[in-house]
C-alpha cells in the first residue's frame, strides 16, 4: 500500500513544493554555473531506474569540460570548479532531480541511480536495488555515502528494498539533512569522486 500508492503521491507533492520553495536558489545556482561552465549549468546522463528502465537524470554541473593536449578530459579533481565544489559539498547539485521525481522516474528516498554500464556487473543480490525507484537520497547515503565500499553500499541498498516503510523514509530524510549540513561522506578518501564499480 505504502510503496505503490502513498509513496508516489508524497513524492510528487513534496517535490512540487520543493521546486517552488527552492526556485530562487535554483535560479542563482543556474546563473553561477552557467558562467563557470561556459553556458552549461546542467548535467544530463542516462541512468537505470526501477526494473532497470533507463531515464535521463538531471543535476547541476559541478565540473567543467577542460581537456589535455590529446583531447582527453582532465581528472575530476582538476575539472571541479570552485562554485561546483561548493554546490557538491552542500548537495545542492541534487536539486534538479526534483524534476525527475515529479516525472515519476525517481523517488525522494531510494537507492541512488548508478551508471548504466554497471548493470551487467551486478550479481542477483546487487540487482535487487532496482526493485524500487531510485532516490535522491537513500539508506546508503546516510550510512557513509561515498566514503563506504561498493559492497557495503549495495548491502544498504538491498536492506532498504527489504525494509521500506514510511517511518524509515522519514528517518532517512531527516538524517540526510543532518549529513548535508555537516558535509559528511561527500567524497571517497583522497578522491573528488568515488572509484568506478568493477563488479
Amino acid at each position: 500500500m505504502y510503496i505503490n500508492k502513498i509513496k508516489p503521491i508524497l513524492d510528487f507533492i513534496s517535490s512540487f513544493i520543493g521546486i517552488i520553495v527552492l526556485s530562487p536558489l535554483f535560479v542563482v545556482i543556474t546563473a553561477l554555473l552557467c558562467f563557470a561552465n561556459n553556458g552549461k549549468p546542467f548535467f544530463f546522463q542516462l541512468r537505470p531506474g526501477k526494473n532497470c528502465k533507463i531515464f535521463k537524470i538531471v543535476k547541476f554541473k559541478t565540473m567543467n569540460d577542460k581537456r589535455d593536449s590529446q583531447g582527453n578530459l582532465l581528472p575530476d579533481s582538476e575539472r571541479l570548479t570552485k562554485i561546483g565544489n561548493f554546490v557538491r559539498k552542500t548537495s545542492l547539485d541534487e536539486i534538479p532531480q526534483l524534476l525527475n521525481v515529479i516525472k515519476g522516474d525517481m523517488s525522494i528516498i531510494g537507492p541512488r541511480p548508478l551508471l548504466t554500464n554497471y548493470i551487467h556487473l551486478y550479481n542477483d543480490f546487487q540487482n535487487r536495488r532496482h526493485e524500487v525507484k531510485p532516490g535522491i537520497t537513500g539508506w546508503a547515503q546516510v550510512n557513509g555515502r561515498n566514503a563506504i565500499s561498493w559492497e557495503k553500499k549495495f548491502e544498504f541498498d538491498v536492506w532498504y528494498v527489504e525494509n521500506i516503510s514510511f517511518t524509515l523514509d522519514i528517518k532517512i530524510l531527516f538524517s540526510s539533512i543532518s549529513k548535508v549540513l555537516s558535509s559528511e561522506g561527500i567524497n571517497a578518501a583522497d578522491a573528488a569522486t568515488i572509484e568506478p564499480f568493477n563488479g
Side-chain angles (χ1 to χ4, degrees):
M1 177 69 174
Y2 171 69
I3 299 176
N4 297 319
K5 300 292 184 180
I6 300 176
K7 187 175 171 71
I9 295 175
L10 292 177
D11 280 336
F12 182 85
I13 294 175
S14 56
S15 296
F16 187 77
I17 294 174
I19 286 290
I20 294 175
V21 172
L22 296 173
S23 58
L25 188 59
F26 189 98
V27 172
V28 171
I29 295 175
T30 299
L32 291 173
L33 290 176
C34 192
F35 176 77
N37 297 324
N38 298 316
K40 299 177 181 179
F42 300 109
F43 171 78
F44 299 93
Q45 191 173 57
L46 296 179
R47 299 285 178 94
K50 184 178 180 180
N51 299 321
C52 287
K53 179 180 179 182
I54 306 301
F55 71 98
K56 184 178 290 185
I57 196 173
V58 56
K59 300 176 68 175
F60 279 128
K61 188 177 176 67
T62 58
M63 294 186 287
N64 59 40
D65 298 318
K66 290 184 178 179
R67 299 173 182 271
D68 59 24
S69 57
Q70 281 73 46
N72 301 309
L73 284 172
L74 294 175
D76 292 349
S77 58
E78 295 183 36
R79 295 189 294 118
L80 186 63
T81 62
K82 289 183 178 180
I83 178 63
N85 186 46
F86 171 77
V87 169
R88 177 177 292 184
K89 280 188 174 181
T90 53
S91 292
L92 294 173
D93 58 322
E94 313 288 358
I95 292 178
Q97 288 171 64
L98 291 173
L99 298 173
N100 287 120
V101 178
I102 290 176
K103 285 179 59 182
D105 294 324
M106 294 179 63
S107 177
I108 297 293
I109 309 296
R112 286 291 298 156
L114 302 176
L115 300 178
T116 54
N117 57 345
Y118 291 170
I119 295 177
H120 72 285
L121 299 175
Y122 300 139
N123 57 37
D124 291 340
F125 174 80
Q126 295 166 343
N127 199 47
R128 291 199 60 198
R129 69 193 313 278
H130 296 116
E131 292 178 10
V132 298
K133 287 182 181 180
I136 294 177
T137 185
W139 189 235
Q141 280 60 54
V142 300
N143 283 284
R145 205 171 177 179
N146 288 339
I148 58 177
S149 67
W150 280 108
E151 290 75 13
K152 205 66 181 175
K153 184 175 294 187
F154 289 131
E155 287 179 17
F156 285 133
D157 286 343
V158 175
W159 186 90
Y160 173 79
V161 170
E162 295 176 340
N163 294 274
I164 185 170
S165 69
F166 174 73
T167 303
L168 179 58
D169 278 357
I170 292 298
K171 178 180 180 180
I172 293 173
L173 179 62
F174 282 99
S175 184
S176 295
I177 294 173
S178 175
K179 297 287 183 181
V180 167
L181 293 177
S182 64
S183 297
E184 183 179 335
I186 302 294
N187 298 324
D190 302 317
T193 56
I194 192 172
E195 288 296 317
F197 176 61
N198 297 310

mmCIF file of all heavy atoms in Angstrom, residues 119-138:
data_model
loop_
_atom_site.group_PDB
_atom_site.id
_atom_site.type_symbol
_atom_site.label_atom_id
_atom_site.label_comp_id
_atom_site.label_asym_id
_atom_site.label_seq_id
_atom_site.Cartn_x
_atom_site.Cartn_y
_atom_site.Cartn_z
ATOM 1 N N ILE A 119 25.223 -2.079 -15.030
ATOM 2 C CA ILE A 119 24.113 -3.035 -14.953
ATOM 3 C C ILE A 119 24.572 -4.481 -15.145
ATOM 4 O O ILE A 119 24.182 -5.375 -14.389
ATOM 5 C CB ILE A 119 23.028 -2.693 -15.997
ATOM 6 C CG1 ILE A 119 22.392 -1.333 -15.665
ATOM 7 C CG2 ILE A 119 21.943 -3.766 -16.026
ATOM 8 C CD1 ILE A 119 21.365 -0.866 -16.687
ATOM 9 N N HIS A 120 25.403 -4.723 -16.144
ATOM 10 C CA HIS A 120 25.827 -6.101 -16.424
ATOM 11 C C HIS A 120 26.819 -6.636 -15.394
ATOM 12 O O HIS A 120 27.150 -7.835 -15.409
ATOM 13 C CB HIS A 120 26.444 -6.175 -17.828
ATOM 14 C CG HIS A 120 27.802 -5.539 -17.930
ATOM 15 N ND1 HIS A 120 27.990 -4.168 -17.962
ATOM 16 C CD2 HIS A 120 29.048 -6.083 -17.987
ATOM 17 C CE1 HIS A 120 29.271 -3.899 -18.056
ATOM 18 N NE2 HIS A 120 29.946 -5.040 -18.063
ATOM 19 N N LEU A 121 27.301 -5.772 -14.494
ATOM 20 C CA LEU A 121 28.276 -6.185 -13.487
ATOM 21 C C LEU A 121 27.622 -6.670 -12.186
ATOM 22 O O LEU A 121 28.264 -7.304 -11.363
ATOM 23 C CB LEU A 121 29.221 -5.023 -13.153
ATOM 24 C CG LEU A 121 30.075 -4.478 -14.306
ATOM 25 C CD1 LEU A 121 30.855 -3.249 -13.842
ATOM 26 C CD2 LEU A 121 31.036 -5.547 -14.816
ATOM 27 N N TYR A 122 26.322 -6.372 -12.017
ATOM 28 C CA TYR A 122 25.652 -6.740 -10.773
ATOM 29 C C TYR A 122 25.384 -8.239 -10.684
ATOM 30 O O TYR A 122 25.023 -8.875 -11.677
ATOM 31 C CB TYR A 122 24.309 -6.016 -10.643
ATOM 32 C CG TYR A 122 24.391 -4.504 -10.637
ATOM 33 C CD1 TYR A 122 23.456 -3.743 -11.333
ATOM 34 C CD2 TYR A 122 25.390 -3.845 -9.925
ATOM 35 C CE1 TYR A 122 23.509 -2.361 -11.331
ATOM 36 C CE2 TYR A 122 25.444 -2.469 -9.921
ATOM 37 C CZ TYR A 122 24.509 -1.723 -10.623
ATOM 38 O OH TYR A 122 24.566 -0.362 -10.613
ATOM 39 N N ASN A 123 25.512 -8.775 -9.482
ATOM 40 C CA ASN A 123 25.034 -10.142 -9.262
ATOM 41 C C ASN A 123 23.553 -10.046 -8.882
ATOM 42 O O ASN A 123 22.998 -8.942 -8.800
ATOM 43 C CB ASN A 123 25.859 -10.858 -8.180
ATOM 44 C CG ASN A 123 25.859 -10.123 -6.838
ATOM 45 O OD1 ASN A 123 24.856 -9.548 -6.434
ATOM 46 N ND2 ASN A 123 26.994 -10.159 -6.139
ATOM 47 N N ASP A 124 22.888 -11.164 -8.673
ATOM 48 C CA ASP A 124 21.451 -11.163 -8.405
ATOM 49 C C ASP A 124 21.105 -10.358 -7.158
ATOM 50 O O ASP A 124 20.087 -9.651 -7.128
ATOM 51 C CB ASP A 124 20.938 -12.600 -8.245
ATOM 52 C CG ASP A 124 20.971 -13.372 -9.555
ATOM 53 O OD1 ASP A 124 21.024 -12.717 -10.621
ATOM 54 O OD2 ASP A 124 20.954 -14.616 -9.517
ATOM 55 N N PHE A 125 21.941 -10.473 -6.135
ATOM 56 C CA PHE A 125 21.691 -9.730 -4.900
ATOM 57 C C PHE A 125 21.787 -8.225 -5.131
ATOM 58 O O PHE A 125 20.887 -7.463 -4.753
ATOM 59 C CB PHE A 125 22.703 -10.154 -3.823
ATOM 60 C CG PHE A 125 22.621 -9.351 -2.555
ATOM 61 C CD1 PHE A 125 21.642 -9.616 -1.610
ATOM 62 C CD2 PHE A 125 23.540 -8.321 -2.312
ATOM 63 C CE1 PHE A 125 21.568 -8.867 -0.434
ATOM 64 C CE2 PHE A 125 23.472 -7.573 -1.137
ATOM 65 C CZ PHE A 125 22.478 -7.849 -0.208
ATOM 66 N N GLN A 126 22.845 -7.778 -5.782
ATOM 67 C CA GLN A 126 23.050 -6.357 -6.028
ATOM 68 C C GLN A 126 21.968 -5.771 -6.932
ATOM 69 O O GLN A 126 21.554 -4.621 -6.766
ATOM 70 C CB GLN A 126 24.432 -6.141 -6.643
ATOM 71 C CG GLN A 126 25.576 -6.502 -5.710
ATOM 72 C CD GLN A 126 26.907 -6.605 -6.426
ATOM 73 O OE1 GLN A 126 26.962 -6.720 -7.664
ATOM 74 N NE2 GLN A 126 28.001 -6.571 -5.673
ATOM 75 N N ASN A 127 21.486 -6.582 -7.870
ATOM 76 C CA ASN A 127 20.491 -6.107 -8.822
ATOM 77 C C ASN A 127 19.131 -5.860 -8.164
ATOM 78 O O ASN A 127 18.267 -5.201 -8.752
ATOM 79 C CB ASN A 127 20.335 -7.113 -9.960
ATOM 80 C CG ASN A 127 19.703 -6.511 -11.190
ATOM 81 O OD1 ASN A 127 20.092 -5.425 -11.637
ATOM 82 N ND2 ASN A 127 18.706 -7.181 -11.744
ATOM 83 N N ARG A 128 18.940 -6.333 -6.947
ATOM 84 C CA ARG A 128 17.680 -6.113 -6.239
ATOM 85 C C ARG A 128 17.440 -4.636 -5.931
ATOM 86 O O ARG A 128 16.295 -4.243 -5.648
ATOM 87 C CB ARG A 128 17.639 -6.925 -4.937
ATOM 88 C CG ARG A 128 17.549 -8.438 -5.149
ATOM 89 C CD ARG A 128 17.045 -9.112 -3.900
ATOM 90 N NE ARG A 128 15.709 -8.619 -3.544
ATOM 91 C CZ ARG A 128 15.164 -8.760 -2.349
ATOM 92 N NH1 ARG A 128 15.834 -9.354 -1.379
ATOM 93 N NH2 ARG A 128 13.953 -8.294 -2.104
ATOM 94 N N ARG A 129 18.472 -3.829 -6.009
ATOM 95 C CA ARG A 129 18.326 -2.390 -5.768
ATOM 96 C C ARG A 129 17.387 -1.756 -6.793
ATOM 97 O O ARG A 129 16.848 -0.672 -6.576
ATOM 98 C CB ARG A 129 19.699 -1.697 -5.797
ATOM 99 C CG ARG A 129 20.339 -1.651 -7.174
ATOM 100 C CD ARG A 129 21.801 -1.263 -7.137
ATOM 101 N NE ARG A 129 22.085 -0.123 -6.304
ATOM 102 C CZ ARG A 129 21.925 1.143 -6.692
ATOM 103 N NH1 ARG A 129 21.443 1.403 -7.912
ATOM 104 N NH2 ARG A 129 22.228 2.131 -5.898
ATOM 105 N N HIS A 130 17.164 -2.454 -7.920
ATOM 106 C CA HIS A 130 16.291 -1.927 -8.963
ATOM 107 C C HIS A 130 14.835 -2.371 -8.815
ATOM 108 O O HIS A 130 14.029 -2.158 -9.718
ATOM 109 C CB HIS A 130 16.816 -2.333 -10.344
ATOM 110 C CG HIS A 130 18.156 -1.759 -10.669
ATOM 111 N ND1 HIS A 130 19.273 -2.547 -10.870
ATOM 112 C CD2 HIS A 130 18.577 -0.471 -10.782
ATOM 113 C CE1 HIS A 130 20.317 -1.764 -11.124
ATOM 114 N NE2 HIS A 130 19.927 -0.515 -11.064
ATOM 115 N N GLU A 131 14.502 -2.974 -7.683
ATOM 116 C CA GLU A 131 13.114 -3.392 -7.449
ATOM 117 C C GLU A 131 12.229 -2.210 -7.053
ATOM 118 O O GLU A 131 11.009 -2.316 -7.046
ATOM 119 C CB GLU A 131 13.058 -4.470 -6.364
ATOM 120 C CG GLU A 131 13.682 -5.801 -6.804
ATOM 121 C CD GLU A 131 13.655 -6.845 -5.706
ATOM 122 O OE1 GLU A 131 12.990 -6.611 -4.660
ATOM 123 O OE2 GLU A 131 14.293 -7.907 -5.872
ATOM 124 N N VAL A 132 12.857 -1.097 -6.705
ATOM 125 C CA VAL A 132 12.121 0.115 -6.354
ATOM 126 C C VAL A 132 12.687 1.282 -7.157
ATOM 127 O O VAL A 132 13.755 1.168 -7.771
ATOM 128 C CB VAL A 132 12.227 0.428 -4.843
ATOM 129 C CG1 VAL A 132 11.618 -0.699 -4.017
ATOM 130 C CG2 VAL A 132 13.681 0.658 -4.444
ATOM 131 N N LYS A 133 11.998 2.409 -7.148
ATOM 132 C CA LYS A 133 12.502 3.589 -7.845
ATOM 133 C C LYS A 133 13.776 4.086 -7.158
ATOM 134 O O LYS A 133 13.895 4.032 -5.938
ATOM 135 C CB LYS A 133 11.460 4.713 -7.822
ATOM 136 C CG LYS A 133 10.264 4.502 -8.721
ATOM 137 C CD LYS A 133 9.338 5.704 -8.643
ATOM 138 C CE LYS A 133 8.106 5.518 -9.513
ATOM 139 N NZ LYS A 133 7.203 6.695 -9.425
ATOM 140 N N PRO A 134 14.716 4.579 -7.932
ATOM 141 C CA PRO A 134 15.923 5.164 -7.331
ATOM 142 C C PRO A 134 15.554 6.470 -6.631
ATOM 143 O O PRO A 134 14.516 7.073 -6.935
ATOM 144 C CB PRO A 134 16.830 5.415 -8.539
ATOM 145 C CG PRO A 134 15.877 5.607 -9.685
ATOM 146 C CD PRO A 134 14.740 4.657 -9.405
ATOM 147 N N GLY A 135 16.396 6.898 -5.705
ATOM 148 C CA GLY A 135 16.073 8.092 -4.939
ATOM 149 C C GLY A 135 17.144 9.171 -4.994
ATOM 150 O O GLY A 135 18.281 8.934 -5.392
ATOM 151 N N ILE A 136 16.761 10.373 -4.572
ATOM 152 C CA ILE A 136 17.710 11.476 -4.454
ATOM 153 C C ILE A 136 18.666 11.188 -3.301
ATOM 154 O O ILE A 136 19.852 11.507 -3.361
ATOM 155 C CB ILE A 136 16.965 12.807 -4.229
ATOM 156 C CG1 ILE A 136 16.129 13.166 -5.472
ATOM 157 C CG2 ILE A 136 17.958 13.940 -3.930
ATOM 158 C CD1 ILE A 136 15.308 14.431 -5.314
ATOM 159 N N THR A 137 18.131 10.577 -2.253
ATOM 160 C CA THR A 137 18.956 10.134 -1.135
ATOM 161 C C THR A 137 18.444 8.774 -0.686
ATOM 162 O O THR A 137 17.335 8.375 -1.054
ATOM 163 C CB THR A 137 18.925 11.140 0.034
ATOM 164 O OG1 THR A 137 19.852 10.701 1.050
ATOM 165 C CG2 THR A 137 17.536 11.234 0.644
ATOM 166 N N GLY A 138 19.266 8.059 0.076
ATOM 167 C CA GLY A 138 18.854 6.719 0.475
ATOM 168 C C GLY A 138 19.567 6.226 1.717
ATOM 169 O O GLY A 138 20.342 6.955 2.348
#
